[in-house]
Amino acid sequence: MALIKGNFIDNIGRVYGIYTGGFIAFIILMAILEQMGVGADTIGILFVAFTIAIYALIGWLSRTMEVDAYYVAGRQVPAVYNGMATAADWMSGASFVALAGGVYFGGYGYMAFIIGWTGGYVLVNSLMAPYLRKFGCYTVPDFIGTRYGGNLARLCAVIVLVVASFTYVTAQINATGTIAARALHIPFEVGVWFGLLGILLCSMLGGMRAVTWTQVAQYIVLIIAYLVPVIWMSNTQGFGIIPHFSYGGAASRMAELEALYTLSPPAEAVPGLSVLTTPHTGPVGDLAEWKFVTLALCMMAGTASLPHILMRYFTTPSVRSARKSVAWSLLFIFLLYFTAPALATLTKLQLLDPNLPTAIIGKSIEEVQNLAWIQNWSSVGFLAVVDQNGDGILQLNEFFMRPDIVVLATPEIAGLPYVISGLVAAGGMAAAMSTADGLLLAIANALSHDLYYKIIDPKADTAVRLVVARVLLVIIGAAAALIASLQLTGILGAVAWAFCFACSGLFFPLVLGVWWKRANMPGAVAGMIFGFVAGSAYLYYVYTGGTPWMGIDHLRFGIVGMAVSLVAMVAVTLMTAEPDEETKRMVDETRVPTGPAILAAKH
């Protein structure tokens, strides 16, 4: 290994450069095998198996028994690589697999997810990340417990964290099951357990250190996998190789085709699948603008409250690195989010525009049902073609598809070589696994560090704490896989719930903990309990058939939770005693970027 001298951090650029080159060489090898006649199924299996094996190898090489390496990767992750890891942590199955599908079926309204998720990083950068890094905590409840004092505040933060992160992780394991079912031709219920196995291989032995270095590797895979098919489709359709600035013509063409085919509901719905009934551009329905704004607000505040994202900034060497890392995160995330609307538009055009050879709307039902990609996705229950009016011609409202498969099916819809399908499957698996790794680690760390070590057994030695963390990782992962296999909601819906849970309980206690010295423990506890309970109760009300208040449905219940949380926290704080002078000085020091961290390196 003459190319690599010294430790890993000194050679990190070279290591990931070699990794990227090796992955591109693997793609070329798969393309050659496809040309030599190797079957599509074999190529898909090789893509998924090869990438998971690489992640597992990184996880094994990063194994550790040191507390700060397990919880915060030794606080030595350079800003740019933490930005890549954060982007992978952030761009989950929802972003990679489901976001473009949401825009495909929901049109303009689903752009609120992109606005909210991106805008949330402005809040993270300006209100949270640098200050939490200065604090020197291991977990988000660690900050809450130390800032406000007492185990009650810490316990409340742990409960909110577990509920929000567990909801989120079920969506990610759902995504891994969807991909595994298609790529490996196994039932979805088996696919979720396969996905869980891959996730645990990456995170169980090395904690945050292993998750960080696998997430960097996963980002490289997922961004290549997301960009290649979009650029390919755009070039084929005549919009150039950078569609982000030129696909306006495609959106205009979509409006013409929607008028031609008409957007109407099906005669009979197919459970779990959707048809296209929403215009691609422009607000639809009552309170459309209000719904857009409230959804974006929930996603923004949720972004700034989700523990698995905030804890990524605990791993940088300094406060300055944490701030730079947020900027890098935004750049890497921007590359995917800026591409998602173009992907949804171009994919829809591939199916609807009769001038393109891949269009299926308006063709005979028999011809469409004989297409290989239609048969493949139908065989796993993710797609259906039903001649409901009996005319033998496929109408727009007779083509049913699960929104979560739009990105995964795009290469086949566009008639691209199967090697691109395998690449996208590997990218989707990387996205879902990277986020699930971070979420499971956030839950296990909070339970092992904040609940077990700080509350139940403060004298526990390092080995016991790490064993507890690993056992919890397996138990929580198994529970999430079990819930995911029940398919209670779609990927995007579950993710929206997670954001709303997080912002209902944690947003104001975190923000005011940094920016309001007067905030005290009773106020923070009231904010977490009342906000979380009010948001959850409202979710139960609307999800069980209650009439939404001012259009605030189950995707936006965080608006109710945050409002109650703010009022409760401010009111109770003002009615109770001020924090002591030591606590106030601690808050002042938190806002100073230089100097030592508030908490000791090992606590």
Side-chain angles (χ1 to χ4, degrees):
M1 298 294 287
L3 289 173
I4 300 177
K5 296 178 180 177
N7 63 39
F8 172 70
I9 296 294
D10 293 338
N11 291 280
I12 189 169
R14 194 167 297 166
V15 169
Y16 282 107
I18 294 171
Y19 166 82
T20 305
F23 182 63
I24 292 172
F26 178 77
I27 298 171
I28 295 171
L29 174 63
M30 291 299 103
I32 294 172
L33 290 178
E34 183 176 0
Q35 293 300 313
M36 293 173 64
V38 173
D41 292 346
T42 303
I43 290 175
I45 291 169
L46 287 174
F47 257 109
V48 173
F50 175 76
T51 50
I52 290 179
I54 293 293
Y55 308 147
L57 177 63
I58 296 172
W60 169 257
L61 294 175
S62 304
R63 65 191 182 280
T64 181
M65 286 301 288
E66 297 176 10
V67 170
D68 63 337
Y70 190 88
Y71 284 124
V72 289
R75 299 195 197 278
Q76 58 178 347
V77 182
V80 62
Y81 293 96
N82 196 53
M84 294 175 76
T86 306
D89 205 347
W90 181 247
M91 289 189 294
S92 60
S95 296
F96 189 100
V97 177
L99 180 58
V103 176
Y104 179 102
F105 281 100
Y108 163 87
Y110 277 77
M111 298 289 280
F113 280 102
I114 298 175
I115 301 294
W117 287 342
T118 309
Y121 272 86
V122 177
L123 298 182
V124 170
N125 191 34
S126 57
L127 300 178
M128 303 279 197
Y131 312 103
L132 297 186
R133 175 61 188 87
K134 176 65 185 299
F135 210 83
C137 43
Y138 282 156
T139 66
V140 168
D142 205 15
F143 169 76
I144 295 279
T146 309
R147 162 61 180 86
Y148 294 109
N151 286 336
L152 180 58
R154 187 185 293 269
L155 179 62
C156 291
V158 168
I159 292 171
V160 178
L161 180 151
V162 169
V163 173
S165 300
F166 188 80
T167 306
Y168 203 165
V169 82
T170 59
Q172 305 316 309
I173 295 179
N174 183 337
T176 62
T178 301
I179 297 165
R182 172 64 186 91
L184 307 179
H185 294 277
I186 56 179
F188 172 81
E189 293 76 10
V190 177
V192 297
W193 293 99
F194 177 85
L196 175 64
L197 177 63
I199 292 162
L200 292 177
L201 285 173
C202 297
S203 58
M204 195 167 68
L205 296 178
M208 180 58 90
R209 184 162 75 179
V211 166
T212 298
W213 302 131
T214 54
Q215 284 176 337
V216 174
Q218 287 162 339
Y219 177 79
I220 293 167
V221 171
L222 73 87
I223 199 63
I224 292 174
Y226 206 84
L227 292 177
V228 167
V230 181
I231 292 171
W232 196 317
M233 275 195 301
S234 175
N235 196 44
T236 303
Q237 293 181 19
F239 297 106
I241 60 171
I242 306 178
H244 311 72
F245 301 104
S246 60
Y247 77 99
S252 300
R253 177 62 175 155
M254 276 309 311
E256 296 173 9
L257 294 171
E258 287 168 354
L260 174 65
Y261 293 123
T262 70
L263 297 168
S264 57
E268 184 178 352
V270 176
L273 305 181
S274 303
V275 298
L276 199 57
T277 59
T278 305
H280 194 68
T281 56
V284 179
D286 297 334
L287 301 172
E289 291 83 0
W290 165 251
K291 289 181 177 179
F292 188 97
V293 171
T294 51
L295 182 58
L297 280 175
C298 286
M299 297 304 106
M300 285 181 70
T303 300
S305 310
L306 276 169
H308 78 290
I309 293 299
L310 296 176
M311 63 192 280
R312 282 244 46 94
Y313 299 103
F314 303 164
T315 66
T316 58
S318 65
V319 174
R320 187 164 181 263
S321 295
R323 201 182 287 279
K324 289 170 66 178
S325 177
V326 178
W328 281 112
S329 306
L330 262 174
L331 172 65
F332 293 129
I333 291 168
F334 169 80
L335 290 176
L336 189 144
Y337 282 176
F338 198 39
T339 306
L343 189 150
T345 306
L346 298 177
T347 300
K348 198 184 288 187
L349 214 55
Q350 293 281 170
L351 288 170
L352 271 65
D353 192 340
N355 296 324
L356 296 174
T358 56
I360 59 171
I361 305 301
K363 291 190 174 179
S364 76
I365 292 284
E366 182 180 3
E367 181 182 356
V368 173
Q369 288 178 331
N370 284 331
L371 292 172
W373 71 270
I374 294 283
Q375 293 176 348
N376 289 335
W377 286 103
S378 299
S379 67
V380 289
F382 294 160
L383 184 148
V385 173
V386 186
D387 188 12
Q388 294 187 337
N389 67 0
D391 66 351
I393 302 297
L394 180 62
Q395 308 297 329
L396 189 56
N397 63 358
E398 294 174 335
F399 178 65
F400 297 83
M401 185 161 57
R402 182 174 161 177
D404 297 340
I405 70 165
V406 168
V407 171
L408 300 173
T410 284
E412 294 165 278
I413 290 172
L416 305 183
Y418 192 79
V419 67
I420 305 299
S421 295
L423 174 63
V424 172
M429 189 65 90
M433 287 177 63
S434 61
T435 304
D437 281 334
L439 288 163
L440 285 177
L441 201 61
I443 299 172
N445 288 359
L447 292 176
S448 63
H449 178 74
D450 294 287
L451 185 62
Y452 178 73
Y453 177 59
K454 290 290 184 178
I455 297 178
I456 297 175
D457 185 6
K459 296 180 180 177
D461 63 27
T462 300
V464 172
R465 289 165 63 188
L466 296 186
V467 168
V468 169
R470 283 163 177 151
V471 170
L472 286 170
L473 205 61
V474 175
I475 294 173
I476 296 163
L482 183 63
I483 298 295
S485 67
L486 302 177
Q487 299 190 67
L488 298 178
T489 183
I491 295 172
L492 214 51
V495 169
W497 288 8
F499 279 69
C500 288
F501 280 132
C503 67
S504 294
L506 290 176
F507 182 69
F508 285 110
L510 283 170
V511 171
L512 298 182
V514 174
W515 295 102
W516 191 29
K517 285 191 290 185
R518 178 67 174 82
N520 62 11
M521 189 274 284
V525 170
M528 284 187 277
I529 293 177
F530 284 101
F532 182 70
V533 171
S536 303
Y538 187 81
L539 169 63
Y540 179 78
Y541 167 71
V542 294
Y543 197 67
T544 54
T547 303
W549 176 65
M550 291 185 65
I552 298 174
D553 58 15
H554 70 104
L555 297 178
R556 300 162 174 80
F557 71 86
I559 291 291
V560 174
M562 281 193 292
V564 172
S565 175
L566 177 61
V567 171
M569 184 168 177
V570 172
V572 173
T573 294
L574 294 178
M575 288 188 294
T576 51
E578 293 188 15
D580 56 30
E581 290 303 315
E582 185 181 353
T583 301
K584 290 181 179 179
R585 280 197 299 275
M586 180 174 68
V587 176
D588 284 335
E589 288 176 21
T590 302
R591 299 202 292 258
V592 177
T594 56
I598 305 298
L599 294 174
K602 295 184 178 180
H603 60 277

